[in-house]
Structure formats: structure tokens, C-alpha cells
Amino acid sequence: MTTTIKPKYIICDLDGCLIDSSWIWDVIKSQGVSKDEAFDLFNRLANADKNRIEIPLYKYLCFKASGGLKIHFLTARSELIEVETINFIQKKTGLVYGKEFSISFRPTTDISESAESKAARLQAFIDSGREVALAIDDEESVLKMYKSKNIPCIKWIIGFVPVQVVAEYSSQINHLINVKEEVCQN
């Protein structure tokens, strides 16, 4: 009898977690841009070179991937910028789409709140037979949604290593922070 081992996934948000794109919202607020124009402007700037990768989270994802978890990004970004976002992630991290990560974008017709949009796509992800071992996000409403589905989660704030991560690696935290990028390369 053969048993199939289902791969386990670590789900991670992009903006506010892996990608620091907060400057875009600062520009939008300072310019008094309308809500409709704000999302158009965000889409145009979401993959600008000025956006930076949150290195400690990137390294944490690589460390988890080296331990057998697969990376899946669940983002509130629109599928309108799917190709540009995948290219941005590959360029800035060296991760390869389809090999080292998968990703789910908000459908263009989806105007629901972030937590609601992610919940629907998460359910489809789970219904397709995938198992989620851990989820990382920066929004409380999204974290609450993960918790309601009994998925362990970590709140990531750019610039800070969460207590759960420090506790998980305790004396090895410096290794995690300084882990080489080659960890992600298979």
C-alpha cells in the first residue's frame, strides 16, 4: 500500500510582509488621491525598484523551505499585475515561480475586503488537497481568519523579527538572520 504524502505549505502575504511597499500609500495619502485612483497608482508602483524585500522574512521562508515546506504567496494584489509581481519576486529574491513558490492574486472583479478575498482563495487552496502548516500576514483581520481555520499564524511587521520566530530559533537566531541566500536555491 502506497501512501501519498501531501506537501505542506507556508502561506505568506506580500505587501507589508515580504515586500515593503509602504511608501506608495504615503504618496497616495500625501497627494489626496481618490480611492479608485489609489488602487490604480498602487498597481503602477507595486513592482517599482524602490520596493524592497524584507530580508529576515525572506530568509525565514528559505529556512522553512529547506525544511520541506512549500512557499505560497496569498496576496490582495490584483491579477492585473500578476506577471509583473512574479517577475519582481524572482528578480529581487532569486526564487523561481512554479519551482520554489506559487502565488494567488485577487481576481480583477473582487472588491471585497482583504480578509474576505484571501479566505475564499485559501478555501479553494485547501479544497484542492493542500495542507497549510503556517501563515504569515501583517493584517489583524487576515490573521483572525487564519486562526478561525485553525492555521497557526505569525504577525509580521517589517523591521521586526516576531517573538515566535525568535523563540523557534532561540540561540540560532543569528544564523537565521545571517543565513545564506543559497538555502532557497534547490
Side-chain angles (χ1 to χ4, degrees):
M1 182 172 149
T2 326
T3 54
T4 306
I5 299 174
K6 290 194 301 187
K8 292 186 179 182
Y9 288 81
I10 182 168
I11 290 184
C12 186
D13 182 32
L14 292 181
D15 298 293
C17 289
L18 182 68
I19 302 171
D20 185 356
S21 55
S22 58
W23 67 274
I24 299 170
W25 296 110
D26 293 340
V27 168
I28 288 169
K29 286 178 189 172
S30 72
Q31 298 299 310
V33 176
S34 73
K35 186 176 179 180
D36 291 336
E37 293 172 322
F39 288 106
D40 180 54
L41 183 58
F42 178 84
N43 285 344
R44 286 189 281 132
L45 297 174
N47 297 297
D49 278 338
K50 181 176 173 88
N51 294 321
R52 67 173 187 79
I53 296 296
E54 172 71 351
I55 298 300
L57 177 53
Y58 164 72
K59 290 178 179 180
Y60 182 69
L61 292 172
C62 290
F63 213 65
K64 289 298 206 180
S66 71
L69 292 179
K70 297 200 175 283
I71 302 169
H72 180 72
F73 296 112
L74 186 58
T75 181
R77 287 183 176 204
S78 168
E79 63 189 5
L80 288 172
I81 57 172
E82 179 176 354
V83 172
E84 296 90 342
T85 298
I86 290 169
N87 290 341
F88 177 86
I89 293 168
Q90 291 182 129
K91 176 184 174 187
K92 293 284 190 167
T93 67
L95 296 172
V96 178
Y97 174 68
K99 179 180 177 189
E100 296 164 319
F101 74 93
S102 56
I103 192 165
S104 172
F105 292 88
R106 172 191 296 267
T108 55
T109 57
D110 181 356
I111 57 169
S112 63
E113 293 296 320
S114 182
E116 186 180 338
S117 175
K118 288 182 179 184
R121 288 179 285 130
L122 173 67
Q123 194 57 56
F125 188 78
I126 292 168
D127 289 347
S128 71
R130 297 177 182 119
E131 187 176 334
V132 179
L134 179 66
I136 299 171
D137 207 289
D138 62 322
E139 288 187 43
E140 284 298 328
S141 60
V142 176
L143 295 167
K144 185 177 178 180
M145 178 272 296
Y146 287 128
K147 288 175 186 172
S148 75
K149 296 182 179 296
N150 296 316
I151 296 172
C153 53
I154 294 175
K155 181 175 185 172
W156 198 278
I157 298 171
I158 288 183
F160 298 92
V161 177
V163 173
Q164 299 99 310
V165 174
V166 173
E168 181 178 353
Y169 290 95
S170 61
S171 64
Q172 297 177 342
I173 192 67
N174 286 335
H175 176 69
L176 173 66
I177 293 170
N178 295 317
V179 70
K180 294 181 181 177
E181 273 74 17
E182 293 88 46
V183 170
C184 272
Q185 305 305 313
N186 295 327

